[in-house]
Amino acid sequence: MAKKKLKILMVASEAVPFVKTGGLGDVAGTLALELSKAGHEVVLVLPRHYAIDPARWDLKVRLSPLYVHMGNTTMFAQVFETKLEKLTCYFVEYEDYFGRHPLYDDGLDGYKDNGARFAFFSKAALDLAQAVGFKPDVVHVNDWQSALVPYLLKTWGFEGDFYKKTASLLTIHNIGYQGIQPDLSLAPLIGLNWMQLRPEEFESFGGLNLLKGGFFYSDHITTVSPTYALEILGEPGGNGLSTYLERRKSDLSGIMNGIDTDEWNPALDKLLPARFDAKNLAGKAVCKAELQKAFGLEIDPKKPVFGLVGRLADQKGLDLLQACIHELLSWDIQMVLLGTGNPSLESFFGWLPGAYPGKFGSYIGFKPELAHLIEAGSDFFIMPSRYEPCGLNQMYSMTYGTLPIVRGTGGLNDSVQNCEEATGAGTGFVFWDISAGALKDTVGWATYVWYNNPKHYKKMQARAMAQDFSWKKAVKGYEEAYQKAIERRAGWF
Ligand code: ADP
């Protein structure tokens, strides 16, 4: 039987290729496009942030004005439209709210009116789909910024029966961000009454928690890996929301993100000095030599190079590396690091190459082409994350024949198979303790395999390069999740 094609409204506060600050933007944009390629009718709605240049994306006015009813007032927005292949993209234009940069904060603190901005956006997304006559089977919302949408759908009856059968699915990209409002001043604007102002729904310590309300009203909930789905059902992973999520446990699933296989493919990667694949690794040796040169390391194919790319943030566990780095660098290994973030980690890792010339190299900054060279030229890749909802770098590493060394959390646990000492099975090295000792021992184990068991290293490398991290699997996972949402919606009322 042919699979039913769905009408999907993807609502997100950011999406590639238009504007992105993190994983949410990667997933929303790529997934919307992939679903449309799979034959679904998909409409993506974003705010028209001022970082999105109308000329660059050929934005055309679609609706002017769009009436958005909020509480007792009607606001007037505009809607722009563009196409990405078969994907229709709408942008809600409202200068007071989206005519600013950065997207969510002034560089230090979140904007004071973030709640009002994204409540407006959530309402506008539904008003606009109704205005253009796009009646979705399912609305897919992402993180707290659009978590009000499931509530609006279930109470839309006041505005007609357009969304009577529409289901909703909420994806949690990072439960650390919840859209917490310090008081109840937003409640009248979004039509919350005493029923919704209880802790089971939106109320939270005298204010509102928009993500929590989303848990209550959405028909299905997903997060970006099966292990993260388990971690957020408890504390500290749930960031205080685990009891509320627990009530929706049977409607929660974890779906790993895919990677962009056009951008991250060692056989086609134009950012590398040479290309390679699993059958011919000569290009990888060229990349390694180039990497050693770029970071001022001793150029020697026999020395194992450990790479690291990422935000220097508490989440990424780089303080663990800092705590054992001197011991690691007393061994016959080399290490390179690319990252920005925490100033004290920046100054430590920026200083380190001076203390270990020829052995340790770093670049403090954001440089995508260098990230590609590190993935391709390293032999191992280190990710000691405290938590990692999905993680992309470990998947890039395996694709590039670079064995990841990871803490077994979230998507790292789901995508890296641990080495088996006796047989050489596995695609990387996994440790579980959040401790410098566990990290040090695991880097030591990888170093041992490199020097003493090259056959096992080769076997693991071939297995890592054969993994399928494309979006195909994820698209299938979301199709199943949409069906679950639709079935549950049918039984609501
Ligand atoms: P997160 O989204 O938590 O930052 P991920 O592993 O999911 O972590 O994705 C990080 C992405 O950002 C990867 O594509 C990585 O290569 C890229 N990246 C992170 N830091 C840098 C940097 N300093 N320079 C270039 N690319 C970077």
Side-chain angles (χ1 to χ4, degrees):
M1 198 179 75
K3 240 191 304 164
K4 184 173 178 297
K5 296 302 172 201
L6 297 174
K7 284 187 165 185
I8 302 160
L9 183 69
M10 177 75 73
V11 183
S13 53
E14 57 179 271
V16 289
F18 305 107
V19 63
K20 158 189 157 175
T21 67
L24 154 62
D26 274 320
V27 178
T30 316
L31 180 61
L33 193 60
E34 292 292 327
L35 286 162
S36 74
K37 285 183 188 163
H40 301 288
E41 196 180 335
V42 189
V43 168
L44 171 68
V45 186
L46 296 171
R48 214 284 281 182
H49 296 292
Y50 271 27
I52 304 174
D53 177 10
R56 176 169 174 215
W57 298 105
D58 193 25
L59 303 191
K60 302 263 183 338
V61 175
R62 177 67 171 82
L63 288 174
S64 186
L66 168 74
Y67 299 102
V68 184
H69 305 291
M70 300 288 296
N72 292 327
T73 54
T74 299
M75 295 160 86
F76 303 94
Q78 237 188 352
V79 176
F80 289 116
E81 175 179 1
T82 196
K83 283 257 179 193
L84 283 182
E85 302 176 39
K86 283 190 197 140
L87 175 67
T88 303
C89 309
Y90 291 128
F91 301 84
V92 177
E93 168 84 18
Y94 194 83
E95 187 175 352
D96 279 0
Y97 283 161
F98 306 120
R100 48 178 108 163
H101 201 74
L103 268 48
Y104 310 118
D105 55 47
D106 58 13
L108 278 176
D109 300 313
Y111 296 125
K112 296 269 179 297
D113 60 350
N114 267 347
R117 294 171 77 212
F118 290 100
F120 166 78
F121 169 65
S122 301
K123 182 68 175 34
L126 294 183
D127 280 322
L128 108 72
Q130 181 171 268
V132 301
F134 182 76
K135 192 182 282 200
D137 296 303
V138 60
V139 183
H140 186 162
V141 304
N142 295 276
D143 279 351
W144 71 267
Q145 290 93 335
S146 43
L148 262 183
V149 168
Y151 160 72
L152 294 172
L153 281 172
K154 294 236 159 74
T155 51
W156 199 259
F158 301 112
E159 306 209 21
D161 61 4
F162 190 78
Y163 289 116
K164 211 167 168 200
K165 293 188 177 151
T166 299
S168 57
L169 179 142
L170 165 67
T171 296
I172 305 163
H173 298 271
N174 187 336
I175 204 167
Y177 303 98
Q178 303 177 353
I180 292 172
Q181 307 301 307
D183 55 39
L184 300 177
S185 55
L186 207 60
L189 200 67
I190 43 186
L192 298 180
N193 59 37
W194 61 271
M195 266 297 283
Q196 283 88 39
L197 295 178
R198 32 179 207 138
E200 288 76 7
E201 301 195 22
F202 285 97
E203 197 278 335
S204 173
F205 301 104
L208 299 173
N209 185 316
L210 300 183
L211 186 67
K212 187 169 72 167
F215 292 171
F216 188 86
Y217 283 98
S218 44
D219 293 304
H220 196 77
I221 303 171
T222 65
T223 188
V224 291
S225 68
T227 298
Y228 192 59
L230 290 177
E231 288 172 354
I232 60 181
L233 282 171
E235 297 298 337
N239 270 264
L241 291 189
S242 58
T243 26
Y244 301 98
L245 208 49
E246 175 72 25
R247 295 173 190 169
R248 299 300 311 278
K249 198 171 155 185
S250 57
D251 300 311
L252 172 69
S253 45
I255 303 170
M256 280 295 285
N257 296 334
I259 61 170
D260 181 341
T261 44
D262 291 330
E263 193 197 340
W264 294 93
N265 178 347
L268 302 172
D269 195 331
K270 294 211 173 63
L271 296 173
L272 300 180
R275 276 146 290 281
F276 57 93
D277 57 30
K279 285 196 202 90
N280 185 354
L281 288 164
K284 186 166 170 75
V286 176
C287 293
K288 179 168 176 176
E290 191 64 31
L291 176 68
Q292 289 173 318
K293 191 169 144 213
F295 280 91
L297 307 178
E298 190 189 335
I299 300 177
D300 182 348
K302 293 203 192 72
K303 301 267 161 74
V305 178
F306 292 76
L308 216 142
V309 180
R311 292 182 289 115
L312 305 182
D314 187 52
Q315 176 197 341
K316 302 291 176 185
L318 288 166
D319 51 318
L320 306 180
L321 181 66
Q322 182 181 22
C324 64
I325 191 82
H326 298 294
E327 192 159 358
L328 297 187
L329 292 175
S330 71
W331 306 339
D332 208 5
I333 66 170
Q334 300 180 341
M335 203 174 282
V336 294
L337 177 143
L338 165 66
T340 52
N342 178 316
S344 87
L345 289 172
E346 278 191 358
S347 65
F348 176 76
F349 288 113
W351 160 83
L352 209 56
Y356 295 94
K359 288 201 78 164
F360 185 93
S362 69
Y363 182 93
I364 305 301
F366 195 90
K367 213 171 183 190
E369 62 273 29
L370 215 44
H372 283 248
L373 184 63
I374 293 176
E375 293 289 4
S378 302
D379 302 299
F380 299 96
F381 192 94
I382 302 180
M383 293 181 82
S385 304
R386 287 201 156 71
Y387 71 96
E388 195 66 75
C390 177
L392 294 171
N393 277 313
Q394 81 281 12
M395 295 192 269
Y396 301 154
S397 300
M398 288 183 266
T399 307
Y400 281 64
T402 301
L403 301 186
I405 297 170
V406 303
R407 198 177 89 73
T409 178
L412 301 179
N413 187 50
D414 294 316
S415 55
V416 181
Q417 302 152 29
N418 202 6
C419 171
E420 273 179 33
E421 187 64 36
T423 60
T427 58
F429 299 85
V430 186
F431 64 96
W432 283 272
D433 260 12
I434 305 181
S435 73
L439 171 62
K440 187 194 75 184
D441 290 348
T442 313
V443 173
W445 180 20
T447 307
Y448 177 86
V449 170
W450 174 265
Y451 279 116
N452 299 298
N453 218 336
K455 269 198 196 136
H456 280 185
Y457 181 90
K458 287 269 164 229
K459 254 168 90 173
M460 292 175 72
Q461 187 181 44
R463 197 174 301 110
M465 292 182 88
Q467 303 291 304
D468 177 11
F469 295 122
S470 72
W471 271 94
K472 266 198 221 104
K473 257 197 243 166
V475 164
K476 210 164 151 272
Y478 281 104
E479 285 173 339
E480 285 165 14
Y482 293 149
Q483 286 307 337
K484 286 183 191 157
I486 290 166
E487 278 161 29
R488 186 171 182 277
R489 179 70 181 100
W492 179 274
F493 58 79

